[in-house]
Amino acid sequence: MDQFSAMHTFRRVVDLGSFSAAANQAGVSHTVLSRQVKHLERHLGTQLLTRTTRRLHLTEAGALFYRHCVQILEQMQAMTLELSEHQQQPAGTLRLGVATAFGELELGRWLPDFVERHPQLQIELHCSDRFVDLLEEEIDVCLRVTDHLPDSSLVARRLATSEVLLVAAPRYLQRHGTPASPDDLAGHPLLGYSQLLHPQRLQVANDAGEQREILMPRRLSANSPMALRAAAIGALGIASFDRFIVDDALRDGRLVQVLSHWRQPARSLFAVYPQSRYLAPKVRALLDYVQHYYATPRWQG
């Protein structure tokens, strides 16, 4: 007996309410379907349906089997569709959402290679520092560095950890002195990111487990990390950044780390995308690529 075929038949009979309706839909005889269900009952060792002249009724065992039957058949259908799409070449338009700093500083490192690997794919970038509604704005995947994701039905795949560093230009430290402890920060202006709830407040901790919260005076705030980066390089004050934003400036000496023995809470790079029973090839291709790319630590001192 083909058990999956019998399960399809059983579900069709139950959904349509009669052997006759199921036989008409399947284009076979009433007898063929009735025989399949009887064989299924014999195989399972229990009665699934009771038959009257007017309608069919599920037995208790039949109701239990029907629930599992529906789940199994839908999983098989989803698996078949996913495997079929897995063989397809990613194509069409991939709508990718990123924060502005990530778009300017990170995408150039790996996006050209990704595009070259998938010539039938077009990329549509949406750069914004606000949390966008992926469903409303039809974004396929959003890459976001954050310490908090709002509760939602979206899937969030963690890709990497991003250190958060205090930095300043050597010229600023020469003029105003280098802080030796967290207490010294209260005498220095913080270049604050205005999108934060408390732009002038810092939390730091050391290896001994000591934690401090510092309120720094304001000199300049901005809603753009890239503008704050320019201000820090221009020696306007001390700033707090994800390492990927200032990594090149640290390497070439335009910025140096301040209070390197004190750490701020790290953040994470997430790939966020709508929940779905199966992923489109273009989405799966991007997720697999960035998962592999960021598996190698990229933002380290």
Side-chain angles (χ1 to χ4, degrees):
M1 179 188 68
D2 183 344
Q3 190 167 351
F4 281 110
S5 176
M7 290 169 64
H8 276 291
T9 295
F10 174 73
R11 181 184 180 184
R12 184 180 291 116
V13 169
V14 174
D15 289 345
L16 297 178
S18 74
F19 280 96
S20 298
N24 288 336
Q25 187 185 78
V28 297
S29 70
H30 176 288
T31 304
V32 170
L33 297 192
S34 180
R35 186 182 299 119
Q36 277 189 302
V37 173
K38 286 181 180 178
H39 286 169
L40 184 61
E41 289 177 324
R42 190 176 302 117
H43 174 74
L44 296 172
T46 187
Q47 186 176 359
L48 301 175
L49 296 169
T50 58
R51 303 160 179 82
T52 66
T53 55
R54 293 189 175 182
R55 57 179 302 179
L56 298 172
H57 296 274
L58 284 168
T59 65
E60 185 176 348
L64 177 63
F65 181 73
Y66 177 78
R67 290 197 298 271
H68 286 289
C69 186
V70 169
Q71 184 178 16
I72 291 170
L73 293 175
E74 288 187 349
Q75 287 177 342
M76 288 294 295
Q77 182 181 19
M79 181 189 69
T80 301
L81 183 58
E82 186 171 350
L83 289 174
S84 173
E85 292 213 357
H86 185 73
Q87 305 304 318
Q88 299 177 17
Q89 178 74 12
T93 300
L94 176 69
R95 295 175 177 85
L96 175 61
V98 295
T100 53
F102 192 89
E104 290 188 41
L105 298 172
E106 274 294 301
L107 290 187
R109 302 180 186 276
W110 56 262
L111 190 59
D113 179 62
F114 175 75
V115 171
E116 186 175 351
R117 294 185 185 205
H118 304 289
Q120 298 182 43
L121 200 59
Q122 297 84 46
I123 308 296
E124 186 177 298
L125 280 176
H126 295 256
C127 298
S128 175
D129 289 326
R130 63 183 177 84
F131 279 99
V132 299
D133 187 323
L134 271 64
L135 297 177
E136 182 178 336
E137 302 191 31
E138 299 183 334
I139 304 295
D140 295 306
V141 182
C142 185
L143 299 179
R144 183 69 66 175
V145 179
T146 182
D147 56 2
H148 172 72
L149 288 172
D151 292 335
S152 73
S153 60
L154 300 173
V155 179
R157 183 185 297 188
R158 186 176 175 278
L159 302 175
T161 298
S162 176
E163 289 182 286
V164 180
L165 308 177
L166 277 179
V167 299
R171 184 158 50 98
Y172 172 84
L173 298 176
Q174 290 168 4
R175 291 177 179 175
H176 303 282
T178 299
S181 72
D183 292 335
D184 294 339
L185 292 174
H188 293 268
L190 179 70
L191 308 178
Y193 182 49
S194 59
Q195 300 291 86
L196 297 177
L197 184 61
H198 301 290
Q200 306 309 123
R201 187 176 298 170
L202 286 180
Q203 291 181 326
V204 294
N206 61 16
D207 292 335
E210 184 182 358
Q211 298 185 6
R212 303 292 302 276
E213 186 171 286
I214 309 297
L215 188 63
M216 298 175 65
R218 175 182 301 186
R219 169 170 291 173
L220 179 148
S221 62
N223 65 354
S224 164
M226 296 305 290
L228 290 176
R229 169 188 147 111
I233 293 173
L236 288 181
I238 295 174
S240 173
F241 288 110
D242 288 287
R243 178 179 281 276
F244 79 89
I245 295 178
V246 292
D247 190 60
D248 60 337
L250 288 170
R251 293 181 186 279
D252 64 24
R254 286 175 293 166
L255 293 172
V256 295
Q257 189 174 354
V258 175
L259 292 181
S260 59
H261 296 299
W262 291 81
R263 299 182 309 278
Q264 298 176 76
R267 288 148 51 97
S268 295
L269 170 64
F270 292 96
V272 183
Y273 52 96
Q275 192 166 18
S276 176
R277 181 167 294 175
Y278 66 94
L279 292 174
K282 61 183 180 181
V283 174
R284 186 186 303 107
L286 178 72
L287 292 175
D288 289 347
Y289 186 94
V290 293
Q291 183 87 61
H292 180 265
Y293 180 83
Y294 286 107
T296 300
R298 304 286 173 175
W299 309 321
Q300 293 183 331

